[in-house]
Amino acid sequence: MGARPAKSHSHLGGPGHPPGADKLRRGRFDIYRKVPKDLTQPTYTGAIISICCCLFILFLFLSELTGFITTEIVNELYVDDPDKDSGGKIDVSLNISLPNLHCELVGLDIQDEMGRHEVGHIDNSMKIPLNNGVGCRFEGQFSINKVPGNFHVSTHSATAQPQNPDMTHVIHKLSFGDTLQVHNVHGAFNALGGADRLASNPLASHDYILKIVPTVYEDKSGKQQYSYQYTVANKEYVAYSHTGRIIPAIWFRYDLSPITVKYTERRQPLYRFITTICAIIGGTFTVAGILDSCIFTASEAWKKIQLGKMH
């Protein structure tokens, strides 16, 4: 039988298929072409710029990482009643000391524009004697309606009214709604805390006019807490009527603002962090490369000028 012609082979290195052709074909899609090392020239300037570049990238990376880990507090304002499930009530916490008034004389009265008029409120409250029974510390938790009104500490609920009640006092705490244990939010949640009126006229009444601002705090999990900030203005006076001097009291007159403040915990999204890091690395290397190229070009031009002078 006659000899058959040899068949061509399509595998790598076979006849009719130059060695490395598949690698060349695959390399067409490589947008990051490689330069052989023997065609590059290292310089001391390039080494210095490279080290500075890496340190700069590390600094920016750590800065961005800190910002990514840290929780950001964003606030916004809007008109609404945030706590609609409260039944139109606001919880109040009051802690006040009257060092020159007996506990049996101290009482809390509550009034508002919805017709509420309560004298001698005693629920969830207690009186602690001070100075061997001479004074009194009143601590109470109660609720008020979300309408303008007042609550006041006075002797109105006492069975026998004293002739000269001493209303000098120290307010330890007056807060509304939930207590926010958040360090990043600095608000007037206890604006009257620490108010000292011990040096005032013992027979004077005290008016604290409060503007209450609803406040919502939402953490990263979506859980919301409802609290209230407030601003305060106060005046001190001795009141008289046609029958003589009016028995003094400590008044807290309040009104609600329609504006709600909302604080929201947010953390930078992962994709934004990655984008920023890529921009830092790419931008730094690009700028460093341009700087190194300019320095190298200038250096080579200077060398040529020096050689020209020598000849």
Side-chain angles (χ1 to χ4, degrees):
M1 296 179 63
R4 297 181 180 177
K7 296 181 179 179
S8 61
H9 300 277
S10 60
H11 58 82
L12 183 62
H17 198 290
D22 285 345
K23 292 183 179 180
L24 291 174
R25 187 178 298 112
R26 289 194 296 268
R28 294 177 182 175
F29 301 101
D30 187 3
I31 61 175
Y32 302 102
R33 301 300 180 93
K34 312 302 184 293
V35 179
K37 288 186 177 181
D38 56 354
L39 297 179
T40 60
Q41 178 183 349
T43 62
Y44 288 109
T45 305
I48 294 173
I49 293 177
S50 298
I51 294 173
C52 294
C53 177
C54 292
L55 293 176
F56 185 66
I57 289 175
L58 179 62
F59 168 73
L60 293 180
F61 172 77
L62 293 177
S63 300
E64 286 296 324
L65 182 62
T66 303
F68 174 71
I69 296 174
T70 303
T71 300
E72 180 185 11
I73 305 297
V74 180
N75 62 77
E76 58 180 318
L77 303 177
Y78 59 93
V79 178
D80 193 14
D81 178 13
D83 191 9
K84 296 182 175 62
D85 299 328
S86 63
K89 303 286 186 179
I90 299 176
D91 293 329
V92 183
S93 179
L94 175 64
N95 189 333
I96 184 172
S97 293
L98 297 92
N100 301 309
L101 194 64
H102 293 281
C103 281
E104 60 266 20
L105 299 175
V106 176
L108 177 69
D109 309 328
I110 305 173
Q111 298 174 303
D112 63 33
E113 292 187 358
M114 291 184 67
R116 181 182 183 182
H117 189 181
E118 186 175 348
V119 179
H121 180 88
I122 58 174
D123 294 339
N124 299 320
S125 62
M126 62 179 179
K127 304 175 185 178
I128 305 171
L130 300 175
N131 304 329
N132 297 320
V134 175
C136 184
R137 178 166 179 161
F138 178 86
E139 298 181 9
Q141 293 183 345
F142 53 97
S143 63
I144 57 176
N145 294 317
K146 291 182 178 180
V147 294
N150 73 79
F151 53 90
H152 53 276
V153 177
S154 68
T155 61
H156 298 162
S157 61
T159 54
Q161 293 298 316
Q163 291 297 321
N164 297 306
D166 188 335
M167 302 307 292
T168 56
H169 61 277
V170 176
I171 301 175
H172 307 288
K173 179 182 180 182
L174 176 60
S175 62
F176 300 86
D178 297 335
T179 301
L180 298 182
Q181 301 293 340
V182 183
H183 299 291
N184 294 334
V185 176
H186 303 285
F189 296 97
N190 186 23
L192 276 174
D196 188 332
R197 299 294 182 268
L198 296 178
S200 61
N201 186 346
L203 301 178
S205 290
H206 299 266
D207 261 14
Y208 295 100
I209 295 90
L210 313 178
K211 195 69 172 181
I212 302 175
V213 182
T215 304
V216 182
Y217 186 86
E218 182 177 321
D219 60 19
K220 295 189 295 294
S221 63
K223 180 182 178 181
Q224 292 185 339
Q225 290 179 280
Y226 302 98
S227 186
Y228 296 83
Q229 303 182 63
Y230 62 93
T231 58
V232 58
N234 67 285
K235 64 179 179 178
E236 175 186 334
Y237 60 94
V238 178
Y240 292 91
S241 67
H242 62 280
T243 58
R245 180 171 50 82
I246 298 176
I247 297 175
I250 305 170
W251 298 82
F252 301 92
R253 307 180 192 274
Y254 62 87
D255 193 6
L256 271 76
S257 169
I259 302 297
T260 295
V261 180
K262 183 177 182 180
Y263 297 97
T264 307
E265 286 187 356
R266 291 180 184 175
R267 181 168 289 177
Q268 183 181 357
L270 179 60
Y271 72 87
R272 186 175 298 174
F273 173 71
I274 295 175
T275 302
T276 304
I277 295 303
C278 291
I280 289 173
I281 296 174
T284 304
F285 272 117
T286 300
V287 174
I290 294 173
L291 180 62
D292 179 62
S293 178
C294 292
I295 294 175
F296 180 76
T297 302
S299 175
E300 290 297 314
W302 178 254
K303 288 180 181 179
K304 291 181 180 179
I305 293 172
Q306 294 298 320
L307 289 175
K309 289 182 178 181
M310 293 176 62
H311 293 293

